[in-house]
Amino acid sequence: MHLSKTKRNSVIVLAGGRGSRIGVNKALTPLSGTPMILYVVTRSLQVTEKVVVVISRDDRVAAFRKTLPRNVAILRDSVSRRSPLVGMLTGLESVLGAVDYSAVVPCDTPFIRPKVLQQLFQVAEGHDAAIPLWPNGYIEPLHAVYEVRNTVRAIKLALRIERSSNRDMIKHLKDVKYVPVDELRSYDPDLRTYFNVNRPEDLLEASKILDLERANSSV
């Protein structure tokens, strides 16, 4: 698949998690000498010129600013309530009117494949969302593409009735396309897009994967 950027799409990177199992700010955790979020942002910039990083109200903007490219926007959560929906809302509202669709991704998945995001953008066209679906029924709402206006409305509805999970928000979307993850293997055979770094051992495994990828790319 040829990667082409469009000004009507964006990527929202959620970086407000505290990374308690790792012990430090997860987004800025070094992975082979590079802050983990930089892998996510760099790969996202291959898909769109508009990338927005959302951090928690307690995080220091300066720490992210010195790490990220200048053309990446950095926003704090608009409210103090702890929920991925809050970060999504902050990011999506910031691009409302400027873009039609936005991918929402976490900061702790350093192997996101740009071609997977591109495919999800294509599937989402004309619908409210394109959400990856595993064979066991588990969905990946934080590796999905959303129609911005309708999703902002759905998040506000969910939060208004004190429902703060991604699934609660998705119930308020009328037209969701679920994409079996096996259909994405053409762009990511090992589905490493969904590899999350949650624990120290995950960080070690991610480093090994990076070393392997770099070795293969140099062959």
Side-chain angles (χ1 to χ4, degrees):
M1 178 192 295
H2 174 69
L3 287 178
S4 59
K5 297 183 183 180
T6 170
K7 294 182 179 179
R8 299 302 299 178
N9 292 341
S10 68
V11 175
I12 309 298
V13 181
L14 302 181
R18 300 314 304 163
S20 58
R21 283 179 283 183
I22 288 181
V24 294
N25 186 302
K26 186 186 291 190
L28 301 177
T29 299
L31 171 57
S32 293
T34 299
M36 184 155 48
I37 191 172
L38 195 54
Y39 293 98
V40 179
V41 166
T42 299
R43 295 177 185 218
S44 297
L45 284 169
Q46 294 180 42
V47 179
T48 176
E49 296 174 356
K50 195 169 190 63
V51 174
V52 178
V53 171
V54 182
I55 63 178
S56 76
R57 291 163 72 91
D58 300 326
D59 286 323
R60 292 175 57 247
V61 172
F64 285 83
R65 184 73 284 161
K66 70 179 183 180
T67 297
L68 299 174
R70 287 290 167 187
N71 60 332
V72 172
I74 303 171
L75 303 175
R76 280 198 176 103
D77 282 337
S78 54
V79 296
S80 58
R81 185 170 173 180
R82 297 190 70 83
S83 164
L85 291 185
V86 172
M88 285 182 65
L89 181 61
T90 300
L92 291 174
E93 283 190 320
S94 76
V95 298
L96 186 62
V99 305
D100 300 316
Y101 288 86
S102 185
V104 177
V105 299
C107 68
D108 60 356
T109 51
F111 305 111
I112 284 176
R113 301 301 191 222
K115 288 183 179 180
V116 169
L117 292 182
Q118 190 83 323
Q119 175 63 10
L120 291 174
F121 273 118
Q122 291 185 14
V123 173
E125 189 74 30
H127 305 280
D128 286 341
I131 302 176
L133 172 71
W134 290 89
N136 63 1
Y138 182 81
I139 61 174
E140 295 282 358
L142 296 185
H143 279 281
V145 168
Y146 297 91
E147 197 280 331
V148 175
R149 189 171 301 278
N150 287 341
T151 305
V152 165
R153 186 181 303 118
I155 292 173
K156 288 181 175 179
L157 283 171
L159 293 176
R160 190 177 304 145
I161 60 175
E162 298 298 318
R163 301 286 185 177
S164 57
S165 77
N166 296 303
R167 286 181 178 272
D168 292 321
M169 176 274 291
I170 291 168
K171 291 176 183 178
H172 293 290
L173 297 175
K174 296 179 180 179
D175 184 8
V176 176
K177 293 285 289 185
Y178 290 99
V179 184
V181 293
D182 283 338
E183 292 183 8
L184 299 173
R185 289 185 185 274
S186 300
Y187 318 105
D188 184 4
D190 298 316
L191 296 177
R192 285 179 178 158
T193 289
Y194 307 107
F195 183 97
N196 283 84
V197 177
N198 290 314
R199 303 163 299 173
E201 49 264 45
D202 297 332
L203 199 60
L204 185 61
E205 179 65 21
S207 181
K208 292 178 180 177
I209 292 172
L210 270 177
D211 289 342
L212 180 62
E213 289 188 347
R214 287 168 178 165
N216 290 337
S217 64
S218 64
V219 173

